[in-house]
């Protein structure tokens, strides 16, 4: 059925994708797979948050490559630019316009109290710019520009989303009901959480590149990383409880190997016969086979700049069609309506 026929009745979902860093398995199973499920039933606006990345002054030479890589990796993972609006934030000028308007609803005191801001003040005291302070306002503009109702984000972004609701509410109180208050979208309550292979924290937070599997890693790199994953001497009694780093290996196996394979090793664990070396060898094989087509598709796409540009252009057009309606409504409510365009 045509996307446009049922588009009106679908709920609107917005999510921003960071343009810094390579995508890894934590992103893939934690976020991208949810995007892929959502693209079937919702009106999705997914964008690369390139303006947000400017807070750390990336080298101008790197910016385009970062954006193109993220786009290519998401498409290679299954995101379908025919089904969703996939665009770069900076291609939608209505976003900074709404950001300006929302800045008038945001108080410096509340922005200074945001934990992510305080963390930046601690970690980069030499660059505490106003863009960092107003990061949550730009994020609110990203969401409210499409009058979205659902936003798939991790725990670390929930406070930003709460601020988006506050800004929407303040706008509505001052100028009349206009913005829905966006809610966190939890696709399933027990979303997949992948731990770092060294057993220290989540893969998404890990700074240890050797304990993180990237979608751009080649077969050998994947195998080396898996073979080095943390294990121990094995269980000493039948049906023992699994340490979290072993559970994590089983989770990765469940996500990438055949069910029989996982069962075999689970039984071996339960009967104290497990050989982690063998398990990791099998997992390394299966993981390499799983990542290979994604990596190859992404790298092929990344070389086709014409295609990526066309995808981003089409995405920006879809996003601007929705964004311009919001901006027109917001201007009118604020009282910015001095002349009739094209009259
Ligand atoms: N701040 C988000 C992150 O760091 C990225 C982001 C920017 C975002 N704008 C957004 C997420 C709007 C959801 C909605 O991951």
């Amino acid at each position: 059925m045509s996307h446009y026929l049922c588009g009106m009745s679908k709920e609107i979902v917005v999510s921003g994708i960071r343009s810094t860093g390579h995508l890894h398995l934590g992103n893939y199973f934690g976020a991208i797979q949810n995007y892929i499920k959502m693209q079937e039933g919702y009106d999705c606006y997914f964008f690369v948050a390139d303006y947000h990345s400017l807070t750390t002054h990336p080298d101008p030479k790197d910016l385009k490559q970062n954006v193109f890589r993220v786009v290519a990796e998401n498409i290679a993972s299954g995101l379908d630019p025919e089904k969703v609006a996939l665009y770069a934030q900076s291609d939608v000028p209505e976003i900074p316009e709404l950001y300006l308007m929302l800045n008038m609803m945001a108080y410096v005191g509340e922005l200074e109290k945001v934990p992510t801001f305080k963390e930046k003040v601690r970690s980069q005291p030499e660059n505490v710019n106003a863009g960092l302070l107003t990061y949550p306002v730009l994020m609110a503009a990203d969401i409210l520009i499409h009058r979205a109702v659902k936003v798939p984000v991790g725990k670390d972004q929930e406070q930003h989303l709460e601020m988006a609701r506050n800004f929407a509410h303040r706008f509505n109180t001052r100028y009349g009901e206009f913005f829905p208050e966006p809610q966190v979208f939890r696709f399933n309550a027990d979303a997949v959480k992948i731990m770092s292979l060294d057993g220290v924290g989540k893969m998404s937070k890990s700074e240890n590149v050797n304990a993180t599997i990237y979608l751009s890693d080649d077969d050998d790199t994947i195998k080396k990383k898996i073979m080095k994953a943390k294990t121990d001497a094995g269980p000493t009694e039948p049906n023992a409880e699994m340490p979290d780093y072993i559970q994590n290996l089983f989770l990765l196996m469940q996500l990438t190997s055949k069910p029989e394979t996982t069962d075999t090793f689970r039984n071996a664990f339960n009967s104290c016969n497990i050989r982690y070396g063998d398990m990791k060898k099998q997992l390394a094989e299966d993981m390499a086979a799983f990542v290979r087509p994604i990596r190859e598709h992404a790298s092929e796409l990344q070389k086709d700049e014409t295609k990526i540009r066309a995808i981003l252009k089409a995405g920006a057009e879809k996003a601007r069609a929705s964004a311009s309606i919001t901006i027109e409504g917001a201007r009118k409510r604020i009282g910015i309506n001095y002349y009739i365009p094209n009259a």
Side-chain angles (χ1 to χ4, degrees), residues 275-343:
R275 290 163 60 169
Y276 288 131
D278 292 349
M279 178 181 178
K280 291 201 279 191
K281 224 163 145 189
Q282 182 67 50
L283 177 59
E285 264 320 302
D286 295 340
M287 183 62 76
F290 180 85
V291 172
R292 195 177 306 131
I294 302 176
R295 177 186 66 237
E296 287 173 353
H297 185 186
S299 99
E300 190 187 308
L301 245 179
Q302 251 183 105
K303 284 184 217 134
D304 193 349
E305 291 211 353
T306 316
K307 185 158 183 188
I308 298 201
R309 281 185 211 282
I311 288 168
L312 288 177
K313 181 164 182 275
E317 279 163 9
K318 284 191 227 172
R320 291 196 69 185
S322 142
S324 58
I325 297 171
T326 303
I327 281 296
E328 198 186 314
R331 281 177 152 250
K332 204 184 278 165
R333 280 166 178 79
I334 290 173
I336 307 175
N337 48 351
Y338 312 134
Y339 69 86
I340 299 160
N342 311 319

Side-chain angles (χ1 to χ4, degrees), residues 14-16 18 47 49 52 135 139 142-143 151 153 157:
V14 167
S15 195
R18 280 181 231 193
F47 67 94
H52 282 284
Y135 184 108
M139 182 161 158
D142 295 330
I143 297 166
V151 184
V153 286
Q157 298 294 316

Side-chain angles (χ1 to χ4, degrees), residues 46-94:
F46 295 141
F47 67 94
V48 183
D50 58 341
Y51 273 149
H52 282 284
S53 80
L54 298 185
T55 52
T56 52
H57 309 152
D59 190 325
K61 289 199 299 297
D62 298 335
L63 202 60
K64 189 184 81 184
Q65 278 327 308
N66 288 343
V67 171
F68 281 19
R69 191 192 62 239
V70 162
V71 167
E73 287 182 333
N74 274 275
I75 293 174
S77 302
L79 203 69
D80 183 350
E82 300 278 325
K83 291 184 181 154
V84 307
L86 179 61
Y87 56 98
Q89 186 182 31
S90 61
D91 280 332
V92 181
E94 290 81 4

Side-chain angles (χ1 to χ4, degrees), residues 125-334:
E126 71 295 343
N127 180 25
V128 184
N129 61 64
L132 272 180
L133 182 69
T134 57
Y135 184 108
V137 190
L138 181 55
M139 182 161 158
D142 295 330
I143 297 166
L144 300 180
I145 197 68
H146 301 299
R147 280 164 295 154
V149 294
K150 292 209 163 112
V151 184
V153 286
K155 266 249 165 295
D156 62 327
Q157 298 294 316
E158 284 189 13
Q159 183 163 16
H160 290 158
L161 195 56
E162 186 184 335
M163 297 182 80
R165 284 195 290 277
N166 291 341
F167 304 148
H169 183 77
R170 281 176 212 161
F171 185 101
N172 293 346
T173 306
R174 185 169 299 272
Y175 299 115
E177 206 53 42
F178 184 53
F179 292 113
E181 292 180 24
Q183 306 297 323
V184 178
F185 192 110
R186 270 188 242 289
F187 213 82
N188 48 12
D190 35 27
V192 179
K193 285 193 194 75
I194 312 272
M195 273 179 80
S196 175
L197 296 175
D198 56 12
V200 185
K202 285 206 301 179
M203 194 173 273
S204 60
K205 287 274 152 46
S206 176
E207 265 144 40
N208 182 354
V209 294
N210 293 316
T212 303
I213 294 177
Y214 297 95
L215 298 179
S216 54
D217 281 346
D218 60 26
D219 290 13
D220 268 357
T221 310
I222 293 173
K223 288 178 188 169
K224 278 195 196 110
K225 287 178 178 179
I226 298 227
M227 293 316 288
K228 277 197 229 125
K230 177 173 177 171
T231 54
D232 51 32
T236 50
E237 55 187 78
N239 303 313
E241 206 184 310
M242 278 184 198
D244 54 4
Y245 48 88
I246 299 297
Q247 266 179 46
N248 192 48
L249 291 182
F250 273 98
L251 173 61
L252 290 173
M253 189 167 242
Q254 198 185 308
L255 292 167
T256 49
S257 304
K258 291 203 203 78
E260 310 86 88
T261 309
T262 317
D263 288 345
T264 305
F265 286 102
R266 200 180 292 281
N267 292 338
F269 178 91
N270 286 333
S271 55
C272 303
N273 288 322
I274 192 151
R275 290 163 60 169
Y276 288 131
D278 292 349
M279 178 181 178
K280 291 201 279 191
K281 224 163 145 189
Q282 182 67 50
L283 177 59
E285 264 320 302
D286 295 340
M287 183 62 76
F290 180 85
V291 172
R292 195 177 306 131
I294 302 176
R295 177 186 66 237
E296 287 173 353
H297 185 186
S299 99
E300 190 187 308
L301 245 179
Q302 251 183 105
K303 284 184 217 134
D304 193 349
E305 291 211 353
T306 316
K307 185 158 183 188
I308 298 201
R309 281 185 211 282
I311 288 168
L312 288 177
K313 181 164 182 275
E317 279 163 9
K318 284 191 227 172
R320 291 196 69 185
S322 142
S324 58
I325 297 171
T326 303
I327 281 296
E328 198 186 314
R331 281 177 152 250
K332 204 184 278 165
R333 280 166 178 79
I334 290 173

